[in-house]
Amino acid sequence: MAISVCVFQTDYYFEYTECDSTGSRWRVAIPHRQGSCSGLPEPVRGTDCTFSCEAGEFLEMSSQQCTSCAAGSYSLGSGVRFDQWDSIPAGFSSLATYMDSGGSGDDSMTCNNSSWTAQGTHLESNRDDCTVALVYAVHLMKQGSVSFDYQYVDSNIFFEFFVEKMITESSFLGVNLKSGTNILYWRTTGMLLGGKPVKPVLLKNIQIEGVAYTSECFPCRPGTFSKTPGSSSCDLCPRNTYSGKGASSCTPCSKTQYSQEGWSQCKERPPCSEKDYFQTHTACDSDGKTQILYRWVEPQVCLENVTGSVTLPPSGEKEDCPPCNPGFYMHNSSTCLPCPQGTYSDGTTECQRCPGGTEPSLGYEYKWWNILPRNMKTSCFNVGNSKCDEMNGWEVAGDHIRSGVGGSDNDYLILNLRVPGFKLPTSVDDASATEFGRITFIFETNCSADCELYFMIDVNRKSTNVVESWVGSKLRQAYTHIMTKNASVSYTWAFQRTNKASDVRQYVNDIAKIYSIMVTNAMDGSASGCHACAMMSQRDGSSCVPCPAGHFINKDTNQCQECPPNTFLSGHHIYGQEACQPCGPGSQSNKEHSVCFNDCSFSHMEQNRTLTYDLSALSSVGSIMNGPSFTSKGTKYYHQFNISLCGAEGRKVAMCTDNVTDLSSKDLQNESADLNNFVETFVCQSTIIPADGRGFRTSLSSQSISLADTFLGERMVFIISDLFPESSWKDPDINFFYRSPQPTASCLNGRSTVVTLRCNAEKSARGELTVPSKCPAGTCNGCEFHFLWESSSACPLCTETDYHSIEGACKGGVQDTLYVWNEPKFCTKGVPLPNKTSAHCEVVSLWVKAGIGGGAFMAVLLVCLTCYFWKKNKRLEYKYSRLVMSANKDCELPAADSCALAEGEGEENEDDVVYSNTPSLLGKLKAIASKADGDNSESVQLKSSQSERWVWG
């Protein structure tokens, strides 16, 4: 069988070879089926590798010439665009991080079912806490770029886009690409910390520039058209028209059908119902009257004159317009204008100047909603539904402003208030102010579905962040947010009826209402009243001349006077009244007396003893990361706390950032300092996902909140709560008290923090931070946070009472004295131990010498006394013997007056008496007693030089 000659496009197609080192390439013919035909064209030299056609053209390979696209198609020239998402296009892949379910086989515990999904007009990310990446690889022959549209509203989901190793912030629209192969990643990770499902990231209109050529044009997707050849894009079909794929024009719908902009088919019009109209107020007319009107939701898709349809209710009667808002006055009975500078009005009277000694209180106070204020705007946004872009998101309604109808139930209805900055009263110094302004609004929601109202802030036009949100119906309530720095700020309210897209309107009557909005100290605000000055003088009733920082008005002299030591000038002053406030315990004022701070030193009286602490080692920021914790799908995360115990002269230096992505490009890194969101305070908290948790290139930090905006003071106690075990050291704990007045949905009175310093001499000077074991997240109720900081620096400074001396023995005439700490030691630093001292000493000490001398004296005295009493005893014995000798034969003693010797008698012979075998006095007495009894006798021999005489008895 003969093989037919190959026919272009039927049997083969052309393709370029890879570029060689010279930048050249060849065009070759590639058969659709090998061997199906013969006579393929020979290879020919192709166009330059960097060659590409203009937008609206394609490279016709047979002639290698650029050709215009036909009507109904388009071309980017050197780029590709993906704007149709009925399915994920070829070349894209959705990859989920695999989590091992432990063999249970339960897919709900893994990420097998998590992926990016096509929603027709856009892609939608996963809603769980899995990590899912949308990946696309493209080869660029020259430097190009990628751009896309996205919707990212939930801070509980991390969204990052990166190209190979270049990671970018999620606030871009376009990123440059290098030549060669580029792998694009769109990656999301949900954080279901509170069990609340996350809102997905929406993605559409991905456009890549830099491909070498486009060999064909792309047909317009259904719902779009291009009516002229050489188009670089397709236009959306208008309302009530439709088109199919590759259309060059749109087809009108029949009268009983309708379509929205960009639809690919028409739908039957339903009968009109109560969901198809809404209530509004007319603007004030020249007579100062307004009335309630009812209007059909635009564009109107329902039929009025069919069975079962309803008609519009009649308009209300005209009534007086509400008064102007405070700070405004009525002009020509119909228009409210702001009061001139230096004047004020409550909205019902003419503007008037402030009285002497006062100045205007600038700000916004909107409580009557006849027209939208000039600094507010409203819009509708939905990345998957462009038909709401030109609709009003909110409608004024007299005493409130309410959410509008929108184009679909999942639209975001936006209300925005722009404040260019804050102007503090002249009595307040910017350097000492802790509150520059505050916004307070009263609202309510009435919903039958999963509606949600967001309150968001954009500071200095960097990025919009959700401050608070409310889900479902909420009763009328107030919310306040405090601005702690002076900056340009945009406040945004966004209301979404449901996050589930649907072409059928079901919740059009679910509404959000805002009754009043008040902003204090707004730079371009109008005055609703005047406040008293704390100033030296008042000028023209419009401004006050401020005293220097740290001064107050003396009511007696009407002059500025400096605040006393350890007091500071409060944020708001009253004319003629001393406004200096005492600093809290353990804190002091700066030299300007404009703020109180703690210098990490502290003194305390205890039992007539002053305990002094030096906490300078704890002055730098301390950090603690608890956990880890895991979400239901296994994502590991931590809570990190940064603590600035003392600050820096009142400045808060603890910082927590929302570092969702990391920038490797130097230009982008320099810009990231302005783009990154952060909080700067005394104590802050961040949620951290480690780099190894889901394969991130860097740790992710998000959900940063302030736990301590204000330092309240210190107090020493032994036990403040049962959250921490009792200390084994005798020193009391030092408790630092802080408060963050910013209210939240769960903490209506704000948050409070207590940092407990505990003496532990076994710890280092920096010590160790811990959280209560009962509350590993640092809090048990989400509003009160407790931290324990054990450190040797928390011990009091040593004094002379914390050591004692020990004296050594006297050796070689020298005696040493040593000094040792009292045990156990409960102090640190402070007074050092004295050095060893030496003193001269005697071998025999003075007291020993005194003892020896005293003993010798007593011995001599004893000898003398012995001799005296011995001699006296001899005399008594002699006298007694004479008495015995003078007795009668019967041994009867003579009478007392006759037997006694006369004084001095016998003394002359006293020395001549000689005793022989003389018994003792006791023996003589015994002898007398024996004689009296007749039982014994005793003889006493007396010898004398004159005669001898024997006495028997």
Side-chain angles (χ1 to χ4, degrees), residues 611-622:
L611 299 179
T612 303
Y613 298 81
D614 180 13
L615 307 178
S616 57
L618 307 179
S619 60
S620 58
V621 177

Side-chain angles (χ1 to χ4, degrees), residues 640-701:
Q640 176 171 317
F641 301 92
N642 292 332
I643 299 175
S644 173
L645 190 66
C646 309
E649 294 195 359
R651 291 185 293 107
K652 314 160 196 175
V653 295
M655 182 182 297
C656 294
T657 61
D658 283 350
N659 182 26
V660 175
T661 58
D662 183 28
L663 305 179
S664 59
S665 169
K666 292 184 179 180
D667 293 337
L668 291 175
Q669 280 183 347
N670 294 333
E671 188 181 2
S672 67
D674 295 329
L675 293 176
N676 280 342
N677 301 311
F678 65 91
V679 294
E680 194 173 27
T681 182
F682 286 106
V683 184
C684 59
Q685 172 192 307
S686 294
T687 300
I688 306 295
I689 297 182
D692 60 350
R694 287 295 175 86
F696 296 118
R697 287 163 168 74
T698 183
S699 297
L700 302 182
S701 173

Side-chain angles (χ1 to χ4, degrees), residues 795-808:
C795 300
L797 298 179
C798 296
T799 63
E800 289 80 0
T801 61
D802 292 308
Y803 62 82
H804 63 276
S805 62
I806 300 177
E807 295 181 347

Side-chain angles (χ1 to χ4, degrees), residues 798-800 803 819 821 829-835:
C798 296
T799 63
E800 289 80 0
Y803 62 82
Y819 297 89
W821 295 112
K829 300 180 182 178
V831 176
L833 276 178
N835 296 326

Side-chain angles (χ1 to χ4, degrees), residues 382-403:
N382 190 337
V383 74
N385 178 23
S386 60
K387 63 182 178 236
C388 83
D389 291 349
E390 298 179 358
M391 295 182 176
N392 287 334
W394 292 69
E395 300 283 348
V396 294
D399 63 345
H400 67 275
I401 185 170
R402 56 190 293 169
S403 56

Side-chain angles (χ1 to χ4, degrees), residues 237-389:
C237 287
R239 293 189 182 99
N240 299 322
T241 64
Y242 71 98
S243 70
K245 185 176 181 181
S248 59
S249 63
C250 299
T251 304
C253 298
S254 65
K255 292 183 179 181
T256 60
Q257 292 181 324
Y258 76 99
S259 71
Q260 301 290 357
E261 187 179 43
W263 277 20
S264 61
Q265 59 182 354
C266 298
K267 293 186 176 181
E268 294 295 327
R269 293 180 180 270
C272 291
S273 66
E274 290 80 0
K275 297 181 179 181
D276 294 307
Y277 64 84
F278 63 97
Q279 173 185 311
T280 186
H281 283 67
T282 62
C284 284
D285 56 23
S286 58
D287 297 327
K289 300 292 184 179
T290 183
Q291 68 178 143
I292 296 177
L293 296 179
Y294 294 92
R295 296 177 178 174
W296 294 112
V297 174
E298 294 294 340
Q300 183 180 351
V301 299
C302 63
L303 294 175
E304 300 181 51
N305 301 319
V306 296
T307 304
S309 65
V310 299
T311 58
L312 282 177
S315 300
E317 296 183 358
K318 286 193 174 185
E319 54 189 26
D320 292 337
C321 290
C324 295
N325 283 309
F328 290 77
Y329 70 98
M330 184 68 70
H331 176 69
N332 294 332
S333 301
S334 60
T335 305
C336 292
L337 297 178
C339 287
Q341 185 178 3
T343 63
Y344 74 97
S345 171
D346 61 0
T348 61
T349 61
E350 294 294 324
C351 300
Q352 50 189 315
R353 305 192 74 82
C354 290
T358 65
E359 63 178 340
S361 300
L362 298 180
Y364 309 134
E365 186 175 357
Y366 302 137
K367 59 182 181 179
W368 301 110
W369 303 92
N370 193 51
I371 60 172
L372 195 66
R374 57 182 173 81
N375 60 342
M376 298 187 72
K377 63 180 181 179
T378 178
S379 60
C380 179
F381 172 74
N382 190 337
V383 74
N385 178 23
S386 60
K387 63 182 178 236
C388 83
D389 291 349

